[in-house]
Amino acid sequence: MPLLYVALGVALLLFLMLRLKVHCFVALILVALFVGLIQGMPVLNALNSIKHGVGGTLSNLALIMGFGAMLGKLLGDSGGAQRIAMTLVDKFGEKNIQVAVAATGFIVGFALFFEVGIILLMPLVITLALRLRISLLFVGIPMAAAISVTHCFLPPHPGPTAIANIFNADMGRTLIYGVIIAIPAIVVSGILFARMPYIRRMNPEIHMGFANREFSEDEMPGFGVSVFTALIPVILMALRAVLEMSLAKGHAVLPYAEFFGDPVIATLIAAIVALYTFGYKRGKTVAEITSSIESSAKLIAMMLLIIGAGGAFKQVLIDSGVKDYIASQMHAFSFSPILLAWIIAVILRLALGSATVTALTTGGIVFPLIQATGVSPELMVLAVGSGSVFFSHVNDPGFWMIKEYFNLTVVETLKSWSVLETIISICGLLGCLAINAFL
């Protein structure tokens, strides 16, 4: 019966969001309360679970996302993203333009949310397409693929960070496994897919309205400082994970590695460095820097509420006994938990559209599988992230964003962007299964 109640909860979520157009934050809270009550929880206990779930999920996640948003906004407002893009394009040359654009999306994608990354790099893609007289999709698909991959696989992005928090996964290991999977996923979905004959035959007219202001040479920070500042959280978290895997427990270095490699501290350090490298060093006034910081908060405010609501749903499933029921059933169940998590995420993605909402909802449902099976929580984070981007279509805001920026028809967007996202999703699943085979 508990699984039936969860299914009813998911059905109610779909009804509220798709038919009644209730905002996903409100819908998730209502569904969490509904599942708790039909599971037999006293109403006050269900309410306390919701509060605990929101608070527990956002306890350190709010800090990570807050500092990460500051870093990304300062990077974009200073021209750092444009500097990284221009330098890589110059270094790789015209023949390897796809690799250059993909590398740009990958580096910039670490510090920027998906929508912001597309907005910032689209003028560069348009400029390259015009200058080289090539299809916009030929250079645009590698960029979009790289940003999408970082968005669904790699902390400190909200989706994987939130799921890692729900699964109690190590953020550093999640990052390392994510990078291992991300690179081939970008090559296949971005570079190789963009060379498909039917993609190359698509040659949409460039929408000049998106070719917005470019920074002058003097306005932009240097390439080295831009890349280093953007990747500080990645470097610190990855270093912590490597040291924890290579050094013996109790080693004198580990406490320092755990402190500086903690996602909160890593993103805080990056934000502080960015205040100098992208702010004061560039001659920006206190008012300009403050404006960037304040506008960065607006980017994550609603996202934090949605993530908190996803945590509430997860906590109700735990406190109402669904977790224990699933754990007891998994002992006699031979189905791969990684594959199961991916399939659940795919189903919800097709129905809900939003990758973040899909990942959070799936996280609450499959969390009990981790303790029941002993599967790597880091790989489960990546499996859920992979499933959450499967076949973006008309109910996904990102679908319409790509359609408008690339000036595509709906059918062309389905043939290009939707297929691209599906390739990323399948590559992610195969990568998780491959890594799991060696653990």
Side-chain angles (χ1 to χ4, degrees):
M1 288 299 285
L3 292 181
L4 175 61
Y5 295 151
V6 173
L8 289 174
V10 173
L12 176 61
L13 182 67
L14 298 177
F15 177 76
L16 290 173
M17 292 181 59
L18 301 182
R19 290 297 299 272
L20 301 185
K21 307 300 181 184
V22 176
H23 192 278
C24 52
F25 166 64
V26 178
L28 279 167
I29 294 295
L30 290 175
V31 168
L33 183 61
F34 170 77
V35 171
L37 293 178
I38 63 174
Q39 269 285 97
M41 294 181 72
V43 65
L44 290 180
N45 289 5
L47 181 59
N48 287 332
S49 286
I50 290 172
K51 292 178 180 179
H52 179 63
V54 172
T57 301
L58 297 182
S59 57
N60 65 343
L61 192 60
L63 295 173
I64 298 171
M65 289 182 61
F67 296 137
M70 287 172 54
L71 169 63
K73 196 70 172 67
L74 290 167
L75 173 68
D77 290 350
S78 68
Q82 184 179 317
R83 169 65 77 189
I84 293 171
M86 291 177 60
T87 303
L88 288 175
V89 168
D90 289 340
K91 294 294 183 183
F92 280 94
E94 182 177 334
K95 290 185 178 180
N96 299 307
I97 193 67
Q98 286 184 305
V99 178
V101 174
T104 301
F106 188 66
I107 295 172
V108 171
F110 271 108
L112 299 173
F113 298 131
F114 174 78
E115 295 84 356
V116 179
I118 294 293
I119 292 169
L120 282 178
L121 293 185
M122 201 62 205
L124 169 77
V125 170
I126 291 173
T127 301
L128 290 173
L130 291 171
R131 183 185 303 170
L132 302 178
R133 297 181 181 179
I134 55 179
S135 167
L136 182 61
L137 291 177
F138 187 74
V139 286
I141 282 180
M143 177 271 291
I147 294 178
S148 180
V149 165
T150 59
H151 174 74
C152 68
F153 288 153
L154 305 177
H157 274 277
T161 303
I163 301 304
N165 190 62
I166 291 174
F167 290 173
N168 297 317
D170 181 86
M171 210 77 74
R173 291 192 182 194
T174 303
L175 178 63
I176 291 175
Y177 293 158
V179 170
I180 292 172
I181 296 172
I183 293 175
I186 292 172
V187 172
V188 175
S189 67
I191 297 173
L192 298 181
F193 177 62
R195 297 178 182 179
M196 293 289 291
Y198 86 91
I199 294 294
R200 300 196 70 164
R201 283 195 295 269
M202 293 184 195
N203 192 21
E205 183 179 348
I206 293 176
H207 197 318
M208 296 305 298
F210 294 127
N212 53 23
R213 171 186 179 266
E214 292 189 18
F215 291 88
S216 66
E217 182 69 23
D218 294 336
E219 289 178 306
M220 295 183 289
F223 173 74
V225 72
S226 298
V227 172
F228 173 72
T229 306
L231 295 184
I232 284 175
V234 179
I235 295 169
L236 292 176
M237 287 191 289
L239 181 62
R240 171 191 173 181
V242 170
L243 291 176
E244 286 180 337
M245 289 187 285
S246 59
L247 298 179
K249 290 185 177 180
H251 195 284
V253 174
L254 284 181
Y256 298 99
E258 290 171 356
F259 176 78
F260 289 104
D262 183 273
V264 174
I265 299 300
T267 49
L268 170 61
I269 292 173
I272 292 174
V273 172
L275 287 174
Y276 173 72
T277 57
F278 298 147
Y280 299 116
K281 188 178 180 181
R282 305 307 307 162
K284 290 184 176 291
T285 65
V286 173
E288 289 173 326
I289 295 173
T290 301
S291 176
S292 291
I293 293 173
E294 290 178 347
S295 59
S296 71
K298 297 176 183 178
L299 296 173
I300 63 169
M302 184 52 67
M303 197 174 297
L304 282 172
L305 290 177
I306 295 171
I307 290 172
F313 184 43
K314 180 265 302 187
Q315 194 62 43
V316 167
L317 294 179
I318 293 173
D319 294 344
S320 66
V322 174
K323 168 183 171 292
D324 295 331
Y325 176 81
I326 294 177
S328 67
Q329 297 299 309
M330 281 303 298
H331 291 297
F333 195 56
S334 60
F335 204 71
S336 167
I338 290 175
L339 181 58
L340 182 60
W342 183 83
I343 290 173
I344 293 173
V346 165
I347 294 171
L348 290 175
R349 161 67 160 181
L350 293 173
L352 295 174
S354 170
T356 302
V357 175
T358 295
L360 291 167
T361 306
T362 307
I365 294 172
V366 306
F367 172 72
L369 299 180
I370 297 173
Q371 292 180 317
T373 62
V375 66
S376 164
E378 293 79 20
L379 291 180
M380 288 290 277
V381 171
L382 299 173
V384 171
S386 300
S388 72
V389 298
F390 187 90
F391 198 77
S392 165
H393 62 97
V394 295
N395 63 352
D396 177 18
F399 176 91
W400 298 104
M401 184 177 188
I402 294 296
K403 175 190 176 300
E404 293 303 315
Y405 269 96
F406 285 92
N407 202 21
L408 300 167
T409 66
V410 170
V411 173
E412 288 174 335
T413 311
L414 288 169
K415 288 182 177 180
S416 55
W417 172 247
S418 300
V419 175
L420 179 154
E421 288 283 80
T422 302
I423 294 172
I424 291 174
S425 181
I426 294 173
C427 286
L429 171 64
L430 295 177
C432 289
L433 293 174
I435 293 174
N436 187 58
F438 290 98
L439 293 180

